[in-house]
Amino acid sequence: METKPFLAYRSFYTPLNTIEKFAGCGYETICVFPAHTVNSRGTPYSQYRPVWLWFDKLDFSPLDDMITDISRAMPEAKFLCMIDLNSPVWLEHMNCYSCSDSFNNLGKAIHNPEWLQPTKQFLEKFLRYTEEKYGDRILAYIPACGATDEWYDYSNGTEGTHRREAWRKWNLERGNDDPIDIPPQSVREHTPHEGFLRNFETDREAINYWKFCNEAIADALLDFAAITRKLIRKETQVGCFYGYILEKCYRTLVSCGHLAYERVLDSPDIDFLISPGTYTDREIGGGSGFLIPNGTAAIRGKRVLHECDQRTHTYNSYLTPYINLRVNSAWPDEKSTVAGLKREASLGLLKRANLWWFDMWGDYYQGEVVMNTLKQVRKLWDERSGIPARDVCEVALIVDPDSTYLVNENHPFAPEMNRGLRNKLNRLGAPFEVYSFNDIPMIPNFERYKFVIFSSAFRISPEKHAILQQHVLRAGRFILWLYAPGIAMEGTFHTDNCKKLTGIPYKASGLQVKNMGNWHSCYIYDYREVTPAVLKKLAQEAGVLLYTEKELPVYAEGNLLAVHVKEGGQIPLSVPPEFHSAEELFTGKICTVENGRFEYDFLSPDTALFALKK
């Protein structure tokens, strides 16, 4: 993460008037997407003609036209270039006996040589052209494939000839018996423990199969990333949409192929992962948030790119005169849009993320007040983004992709497990970070985390148990376990294992807290019983600094603090005692800090970003 984070503009369309306004606000980075496919509603992604016309026939004049048009509106433009790897209609229909439907059936297409070979050839020809003609203006390439170009596999694990052979090969390479066939749906969906968890002993085939499916998507993504890396300049970055463990749930958490994100982040060919802000907490008053564990990316020296596609009060919801995608979560008026833009910018800035404003179908960013806000964001980004981490975070949410393979993605607990916990932590009144279980030994200064939450620590191997003993279960720390921690442990799948790990019986009612000597074990069986109030209580008992007593989104890093509110007024805030003043960076207001406390008069709604000074 040595380079400065991107701050960019993106749109499916090319609204030159809006691009010109962004250029006038100091923006000089824009995402381009010369697509040849259609979106999930069947309309073209791009307003320009397709580049890929036949197996070996590419016409780059539409891309040239796009670059020329944008350059008129933003003369100094640098580009983040998305590459459409999905099948054009002619390629999808040509292979009628083998799957080339990469949009909805990516998990089948990636094993099909009749899809792989022409798609790789297209990628190579595309890159050779863009590098020769525009390489000095391209900051990053983004190989895009699968449903909505986010590397989703919506095939639900269904069989295909090439996928079956790949599954057999996967097993034989690991010394397993030849499975002959892909497990049927009844086996893939079997979750005997309360309809929520697979038994790692009796459901081993299904668990292995879902691992194979997720690893196959990651490997295909990395295969295309490796081709990209070989053909581009050394300084040019590569990113992709992937790793949505904090958002996916019903019908997608396990089956859509996003669980092997550690594998992707460990690759030298990937520099950043992209995800939109959460769809479930983006309204005004919500905390927004990444779909990817940002902490997992950061400790591997990688970034996330935060895609801000939140619907503003002016957004165009019409794809066509007949297709209207109006949503209830849209920000209702100008003051809400301003507060929302400040919130998203503050989140990206404090988490040292890349960020782009996604003007999906146009008109998202309209009006003098909105553009002035985006101009302020540009200025603050230039001054403060990419500053080396000085985290003050004391709360960690630990997710576990390995244990997630046990989960029934259609159970009511599935959306509560990661997504719901993140959204409730958004109202903790203190910053938090999200990691994967395997990250724990690599986390710098793990001692600073006073309150650690395990959303899905179901499968505890001897190696994981050693990590817990060495790094986590100590230092007076408060640990919150959910549902069935350690149920798969010591070579057995049994609820007695939960008490062995936590000291508290499985399914004990309500919130249970037990002093374990040098740490505190906290347990809640039902995810739905976890509330912001419960989290605040445990965090306070753990000694976490709560920046506000109210249930509000708070982001903090180093000497920066951001607070978002729906309802304003005078709100007391607490900060570390070494700070003596707070400057609100959007307004320039100065507040005096006395004994670690100050008050700020928030608008309704509002987002305040403070620089704390000693």
Side-chain angles (χ1 to χ4, degrees):
M1 294 192 295
E2 295 178 359
T3 58
K4 201 172 184 67
F6 304 128
L7 180 63
Y9 172 85
R10 180 192 176 197
S11 178
F12 285 133
Y13 296 166
T14 310
L16 298 180
N17 288 341
T18 301
I19 293 171
E20 188 172 12
K21 291 176 185 176
F22 268 82
C25 292
Y27 288 77
E28 55 185 21
T29 306
I30 186 168
C31 177
V32 293
F33 186 28
H36 49 252
T37 53
V38 298
N39 60 34
S40 60
R41 296 299 182 267
T43 64
Y45 271 121
S46 176
Q47 293 177 308
Y48 293 81
R49 292 179 293 107
V51 168
W52 193 12
L53 304 177
W54 192 242
F55 290 97
D56 58 352
K57 177 60 177 176
L58 279 69
D59 177 6
F60 287 102
S61 59
L63 172 61
D64 296 335
D65 291 342
M66 182 187 295
I67 299 294
T68 299
D69 291 345
I70 290 171
S71 297
R72 283 201 298 266
M74 187 181 283
E76 303 301 319
K78 300 290 186 180
F79 301 105
L80 310 176
C81 183
M82 288 182 62
I83 308 173
D84 192 353
L85 300 178
N86 272 320
S87 297
V89 172
W90 56 262
L91 178 58
E92 179 181 333
H93 288 197
M94 279 287 293
N95 295 327
C96 57
Y97 295 109
S98 58
C99 181
S100 289
D101 171 17
S102 58
F103 194 93
N104 283 320
N105 289 281
L106 181 64
K108 295 180 181 181
I110 57 175
H111 302 295
N112 178 15
E114 294 180 3
W115 178 78
L116 277 170
Q117 183 177 354
T119 305
K120 288 180 178 179
Q121 290 174 348
F122 159 74
L123 175 61
E124 292 173 358
K125 291 179 180 179
F126 183 94
L127 289 169
R128 288 193 177 97
Y129 183 86
T130 54
E131 279 296 282
E132 180 179 352
K133 191 162 186 178
Y134 305 111
D136 60 336
R137 300 181 68 185
I138 296 175
L139 302 178
Y141 287 98
I142 300 163
C145 199
T148 59
D149 289 284
E150 294 172 275
W151 291 96
Y152 290 155
D153 173 22
Y154 284 164
S155 69
N156 198 31
T158 51
E159 68 174 8
T161 301
H162 298 294
R163 185 185 232 174
R164 182 173 63 245
E165 292 309 309
W167 162 237
R168 295 175 69 187
K169 181 181 178 183
W170 187 92
N171 277 278
L172 294 174
E173 288 175 346
R174 287 156 180 75
N176 301 333
D177 293 337
D178 187 342
I180 308 300
D181 285 321
I182 284 171
Q185 185 173 1
S186 59
V187 173
R188 299 196 304 267
E189 297 182 356
H190 187 241
T191 47
H193 183 75
E194 298 183 342
F196 184 47
L197 294 182
R198 296 178 176 87
N199 184 319
F200 83 104
E201 297 173 298
T202 59
D203 298 301
R204 190 180 304 274
E205 185 180 27
I207 293 168
N208 282 342
Y209 182 66
W210 289 123
K211 283 185 178 181
F212 156 77
C213 289
N214 281 264
E215 290 175 3
I217 298 296
D219 289 345
L221 187 164
L222 292 176
D223 198 11
F224 285 105
I227 294 170
T228 304
R229 178 67 69 194
K230 289 177 182 177
L231 294 174
I232 65 178
R233 289 162 168 78
K234 182 179 180 181
E235 65 273 16
T236 306
Q237 297 188 39
V238 179
C240 62
F241 294 86
Y242 191 72
Y244 297 5
I245 192 173
L246 296 177
E247 188 78 4
K248 308 308 288 182
C249 46
Y250 286 130
R251 302 176 65 184
T252 55
L253 174 61
V254 178
S255 64
C256 82
H258 271 233
L259 291 181
Y261 57 86
E262 293 166 307
R263 195 185 194 99
V264 173
L265 285 168
D266 284 334
S267 169
D269 297 324
I270 292 293
D271 297 290
F272 59 92
L273 297 184
I274 312 168
S275 71
T278 177
Y279 292 97
T280 55
D281 201 30
R282 55 171 49 185
E283 293 90 341
I284 294 301
S288 186
F290 308 133
L291 313 190
I292 302 159
N294 180 65
T296 301
I299 62 174
R300 288 163 168 79
K302 309 297 177 70
R303 283 197 171 97
V304 299
L305 190 157
H306 186 45
E307 177 176 88
C308 298
D309 66 349
Q310 288 83 347
R311 279 58 164 172
T312 69
H313 69 292
T314 59
Y315 83 105
N316 171 37
S317 62
Y318 284 92
L319 272 73
T320 73
Y322 316 104
I323 303 176
N324 183 7
L325 299 183
R326 179 66 52 178
V327 295
N328 294 329
S329 61
W331 298 334
D333 49 39
E334 183 177 78
K335 62 182 180 179
S336 297
T337 293
V338 169
L341 296 178
K342 289 180 178 179
R343 181 188 69 189
E344 300 306 312
S346 297
L347 173 63
L349 186 67
L350 271 68
K351 290 296 187 181
R352 302 171 293 281
N354 300 309
L355 183 151
W356 67 35
W357 305 111
F358 191 8
D359 190 11
M360 296 180 77
W361 310 292
D363 292 339
Y364 278 52
Y365 310 111
Q366 298 295 318
E368 183 178 358
V369 173
V370 169
M371 294 310 300
N372 283 340
T373 301
L374 292 170
K375 186 175 183 179
Q376 282 187 293
V377 170
R378 174 74 266 179
K379 182 174 182 294
L380 289 171
W381 204 269
D382 289 339
E383 294 171 353
R384 298 178 179 272
S385 67
I387 295 173
R390 292 173 290 150
D391 285 311
V392 297
C393 182
E394 298 176 314
V395 180
L397 171 61
I398 309 294
V399 300
D400 186 14
D402 179 53
S403 291
T404 305
Y405 288 114
L406 274 62
V407 170
N408 173 9
E409 63 189 17
N410 297 313
H411 191 279
F413 279 178
E416 300 291 336
M417 189 176 77
N418 295 328
R419 190 177 75 182
L421 273 172
R422 181 207 54 212
N423 292 353
K424 292 166 186 174
L425 281 168
N426 276 341
R427 289 154 180 78
L428 178 64
F432 65 94
E433 189 55 278
V434 186
Y435 297 99
S436 298
F437 198 115
N438 291 331
D439 300 336
I440 293 172
M442 300 184 285
I443 298 172
N445 190 21
F446 190 79
E447 295 301 315
R448 74 178 183 269
Y449 291 107
K450 299 175 181 178
F451 182 31
V452 179
I453 304 161
F454 287 92
S455 67
S456 53
F458 309 133
R459 190 169 186 177
I460 302 297
S461 64
E463 293 78 14
K464 285 183 178 178
H465 199 264
I467 289 171
L468 290 173
Q469 295 292 337
Q470 182 178 353
H471 298 280
V472 182
L473 308 182
R474 54 195 300 274
R477 188 174 286 122
F478 275 62
I479 310 298
L480 177 59
W481 313 95
L482 282 307
Y483 186 65
I487 191 171
M489 189 172 68
E490 297 182 349
T492 64
F493 186 95
H494 201 283
T495 55
D496 288 350
N497 291 332
C498 302
K499 186 175 182 180
K500 293 178 184 177
L501 178 64
T502 68
I504 301 170
Y506 171 71
K507 224 170 184 177
S509 62
L511 170 63
Q512 300 286 321
V513 180
K514 184 175 182 179
N515 189 332
M516 303 294 284
N518 62 346
W519 62 284
H520 293 81
S521 185
C522 314
Y523 171 71
I524 297 176
Y525 163 78
D526 191 333
Y527 290 96
R528 294 166 295 190
E529 294 182 10
V530 181
T531 64
V534 168
L535 293 171
K536 288 178 81 74
K537 174 180 181 294
L538 293 174
Q540 190 169 35
E541 291 178 3
V544 171
L545 172 63
L546 299 179
Y547 289 74
T548 172
E549 296 178 359
K550 295 181 176 291
E551 294 180 0
L552 298 175
V554 168
Y555 318 126
E557 187 274 322
N559 71 323
L560 295 178
L561 166 67
V563 181
H564 173 68
V565 301
K566 183 177 182 180
E567 302 295 334
Q570 289 281 348
I571 298 178
L573 299 172
S574 298
V575 297
E578 65 266 25
F579 294 113
H580 298 289
S581 70
E583 178 188 1
E584 204 290 308
L585 296 176
F586 287 108
T587 62
K589 294 179 181 177
I590 306 292
C591 301
T592 300
V593 179
E594 295 182 355
N595 299 317
R597 290 179 66 83
F598 71 98
E599 286 193 354
Y600 186 77
D601 189 10
F602 287 87
L603 301 174
S604 296
D606 202 359
T607 300
L609 174 60
F610 301 99
L612 306 174
K613 300 180 181 180
K614 297 182 181 180

